[in-house]
Amino acid sequence: MMKAAVHALTGLLSLTGLAVAQAADIPLYPTGPSEDSAFLRFVNASESPLQLTAAGSGASLRLEGEQRVSDFLTVPADKSVQGSLSLGEQQHALDVSVAPGEFASVVAIAQADQPLQVLTVREQPDDFNALKASLAFYSLDAQCVDAGLQVAGRSVDIFKAVATGSLERRSINPLNLSVQLRCAGAAVGEPLALGDLAAGQRYTLFLVPSAQGPRLFQALDNLAN
């Protein structure tokens, strides 16, 4: 279903006047991204279905449950992508552009009795090491101060004191990994098992608010085909 949704979003961008380039179904930039390409994905950080609708065409994409993160779409740089994001009765206008070589994630966050919040997190490509796994940590919950991640069961920091609204990325050895979220130096919640991280693959961990407190979820950083 996610592949069908990504194809729908590709059509969405095309129908709004943007020509979307085709991308291979492979991990992100094994040899580095093109300087004039830009990359855009959509993330549903809420517990309810998120509907993305294109301006003009009405083409749509639905993100929910385990399929809450789209693949990265290759889009022309510095071109406006417009439409609306809907979560229940709430709507938010979408108007975003992505710089050359940039990876942008449009994240929709909603909590009970709070308005829909949409954040755009932007990441510039780093040096790629095909022998390592690449892991990013997006800190998007203001209630988790000085957010960090440790290897579960060990006092080994993977990320430390990441400011709200920002991200960090690092290369790590490919291995089976579980992580523990830490806020202001204290463990929060149960460890999250990430499984076997593969060499040459890129991953993102999103820290977002929920009714139960700060929570983590994982996504693969793949290009759509």
Side-chain angles (χ1 to χ4, degrees):
M1 289 181 64
M2 177 56 77
K3 283 187 177 294
V6 168
H7 287 315
L9 183 53
T10 301
L12 178 158
L13 295 175
S14 298
L15 289 170
T16 53
L18 300 182
V20 178
Q22 293 296 317
D25 188 13
I26 56 175
L28 273 181
Y29 52 92
T31 58
S34 168
E35 289 184 358
D36 59 355
S37 294
F39 305 90
L40 178 65
R41 70 176 168 186
F42 297 89
V43 181
N44 180 8
S46 76
E47 299 296 336
S48 301
L50 177 72
Q51 188 88 4
L52 169 62
T53 305
S57 71
S60 64
L61 169 68
R62 187 178 176 93
L63 296 173
E64 60 183 320
E66 296 300 316
Q67 299 178 339
R68 62 176 66 238
V69 183
S70 77
D71 289 344
F72 276 104
L73 299 166
T74 307
V75 298
D78 295 327
K79 300 289 187 180
S80 178
V81 177
Q82 298 181 349
S84 65
L85 296 168
S86 301
L87 192 86
E89 299 298 319
Q90 298 190 72
Q91 289 197 346
H92 192 285
L94 174 69
D95 188 351
V96 62
S97 61
V98 189
E102 188 175 60
F103 291 82
S105 298
V106 174
V107 185
I109 300 174
Q111 297 177 270
D113 301 323
Q114 294 189 22
L116 175 62
Q117 182 183 17
V118 178
L119 305 175
T120 301
V121 185
R122 301 176 184 275
E123 184 176 359
Q124 290 290 343
D126 55 6
D127 292 335
F128 181 79
N129 185 341
L131 300 179
K132 300 277 190 175
S134 181
L135 181 65
F137 179 47
Y138 286 34
S139 177
L140 304 177
D141 185 357
Q143 299 303 311
C144 184
V145 179
D146 292 334
L149 291 177
Q150 286 188 342
V151 177
R154 300 175 60 190
S155 297
V156 177
D157 290 315
I158 305 172
F159 300 102
K160 189 174 182 179
V162 180
T164 302
S166 67
L167 69 96
E168 290 187 12
R169 180 179 289 277
R170 61 174 295 182
S171 294
I172 61 177
N173 291 324
L175 77 172
N176 188 291
L177 181 65
S178 294
V179 297
Q180 175 65 58
L181 173 65
R182 298 182 70 83
C183 301
V188 174
E190 296 297 320
L192 176 66
L194 306 185
D196 292 314
L197 303 185
Q201 181 61 278
R202 298 173 67 89
Y203 305 86
T204 297
L205 280 172
F206 295 92
L207 167 61
V208 298
S210 76
Q212 293 75 41
R215 69 183 179 93
L216 295 169
F217 66 91
Q218 177 187 9
L220 271 174
D221 297 357
N222 277 340
L223 287 176
N225 59 1

